Amino acid sequence: MRLTLPPSAPGMRIGLYGGSFNPAHLGHRHVTLAALRRLGLDRVWWLVSPGNPLKSRSALPSVAARCDQARQIARHPRIAVTGIEAALGVRFTVQTLRFLTRRCPGVHFVWVMGADSLGTFHRWKGFAEIARLVPIAVIDRPGFTMTPLSARAARRLAGARVPEAAASTLALRSPPAWMFLHGPRSTLSSTQIRARTGRGTAPPKSARLQSRPDTANFT
C-alpha cells in the first residue's frame, strides 16, 4: 500500500482514531463526531490497522477493503480514512505516533480512544511513551463509565488528567495530558456484527453497529 497522508498543515488540530475497523460502523462515527465537537478538532483520521501481529490474519479482510468500507460509514468531510500503518510496515501505535509527530511538525495531534481501550491501555507497547507524544481523549462507552477510577493507566497518569470542562484546550496542551469525555454513548460493536455476518468475509457495506481494543498494541 502506498504511503499517502491525509492533508494537514501546521496549527491544525487532528484526532487520530485507530483500530481494525472490522467492520467500521456508526459507533465509530459517533465517537469521531463527539471528538470533533468537544475537542474543537479540525479533522479526525481513522487509522485502519493491519491487525494483531500475534494472531492469524487469515480471516481479516485486507486493509484496502476495510478502508473502502470505513469510508462508506464515515461520510463526513472532516473524517479521513487511511491505511498508513500498513504502508509504513509498523505494528504498534507508538511507532505510528513517532512517525507522525516527526513528519508533521506543528500539527496538534490527539489520540482518541473508547473507554473500553483505557482499561487495557497499560498493556499497549510503549503506552507511557504514547502519553508523552500526544494528548489523549477517552470517549465514554456503555459499561465503562467508571473505568478512569480503576484502569491502571488512568492511575499511572492521574496527575496528567485534564478537567472535562477544558476539552477545547486538550489538543494544544503539552503531553502528557488526557481527559475522559462523558456524553451520549453507542452500544454498537464490531464483534457483534462479525458474529451476525460470519467471519472471513468482506466487511458488510451496511454495517452500522465500538470496536474491540486495538490488540496490535499489546506487548
Side-chain angles (χ1 to χ4, degrees):
M1 180 173 287
R2 183 180 178 184
L3 176 58
T4 303
L5 292 179
S8 66
M12 289 184 69
R13 308 181 189 192
I14 296 178
L16 303 172
Y17 188 19
S20 63
F21 293 94
N22 181 34
H25 50 73
L26 291 185
H28 295 126
R29 194 173 188 273
H30 171 84
V31 167
T32 302
L33 296 181
L36 280 166
R37 182 180 68 254
R38 300 284 302 279
L39 302 176
L41 302 178
D42 298 299
R43 300 284 190 278
V44 171
W45 297 356
W46 286 8
L47 306 179
V48 179
S49 74
N52 186 344
L54 303 179
K55 295 182 179 180
S56 171
R57 304 181 192 180
S58 60
L60 186 66
S62 70
V63 171
R66 285 179 283 132
C67 282
D68 287 343
Q69 187 267 338
R71 291 187 184 99
Q72 297 177 48
I73 295 297
R75 293 188 176 278
H76 195 285
R78 293 165 62 191
I79 302 175
V81 178
T82 175
I84 61 168
E85 292 183 311
L88 287 170
V90 300
R91 303 172 64 203
F92 304 108
T93 292
V94 67
Q95 296 172 303
T96 304
L97 294 179
R98 289 171 187 159
F99 172 80
L100 289 176
T101 52
R102 289 195 305 265
R103 181 71 172 266
C104 306
V107 174
H108 303 288
F109 288 114
V110 177
W111 184 256
V112 177
M113 69 167 104
D116 52 336
S117 294
L118 179 61
T120 54
F121 185 43
H122 65 282
R123 294 177 55 203
W124 289 25
K125 186 174 182 65
F127 91 92
E129 183 179 352
I130 292 173
R132 292 193 300 269
L133 285 169
V134 294
I136 298 169
V138 182
I139 312 297
D140 196 6
R141 290 210 55 214
F144 295 92
T145 300
M146 303 304 291
T147 301
L149 300 178
S150 58
R152 186 179 302 180
R155 297 197 303 268
R156 286 273 301 272
L157 299 170
R161 186 172 179 180
V162 178
E164 190 171 354
S168 64
T169 71
L170 182 65
L172 301 180
R173 290 177 179 262
S174 298
W178 72 281
M179 70 171 49
F180 192 96
L181 294 177
H182 297 84
R185 297 166 293 180
S186 171
T187 60
L188 308 181
S189 165
S190 292
T191 303
Q192 293 173 359
I193 294 173
R194 290 197 301 274
R196 289 202 307 270
T197 60
R199 290 178 174 271
T201 59
K205 293 182 180 181
S206 62
R208 300 201 177 270
L209 298 168
Q210 207 53 279
S211 64
R212 297 183 305 176
D214 181 4
T215 51
N217 288 296
F218 295 120
T219 54

